[in-house]
Amino acid sequence: MKALGWIDGAPDGANALALGEILIEAEPASLRELARFVVHAAEEMERMGSAYDHMHFRDVSAACRDTWPEIVILRERV
């Protein structure tokens, strides 16, 4: 597993940065919504097999769309 990210406001096409630590500041309800998304992404990854590439949190969770940064679950690249 890798953690990657961009600095807020980075230009399009900028290379992702490897992150050594991820900090999530949230209320319990938001964390539960995030947990549901991660489980959903894992299930879709298993269901779709190699056809799965990535999934965006904002595409499946309207509840946090305006208050959270974009979170993307990628298939691990070997």
Side-chain angles (χ1 to χ4, degrees):
M1 183 173 129
K2 297 175 189 167
L4 306 170
W6 284 272
I7 296 171
D8 201 17
D12 290 343
N15 291 329
L17 304 171
L19 304 175
E21 182 174 49
I22 300 169
L23 306 171
I24 298 175
E25 182 179 304
E27 295 293 325
S30 295
L31 291 175
R32 287 185 186 91
E33 183 75 15
L34 178 59
R36 283 189 288 274
F37 166 67
V38 172
V39 168
H40 175 66
E43 290 169 347
E44 285 297 292
M45 192 181 293
E46 288 177 335
R47 184 184 69 77
M48 294 177 68
S50 62
Y52 179 97
D53 184 61
H54 70 280
M55 182 179 292
H56 293 254
F57 182 51
R58 289 181 179 169
D59 289 346
V60 298
S61 178
C64 299
R65 186 169 290 144
D66 296 330
T67 59
W68 275 68
E70 183 62 275
I71 297 172
V72 182
I73 302 292
L74 303 169
R75 171 174 288 289
E76 189 170 33
R77 294 174 179 25
V78 185

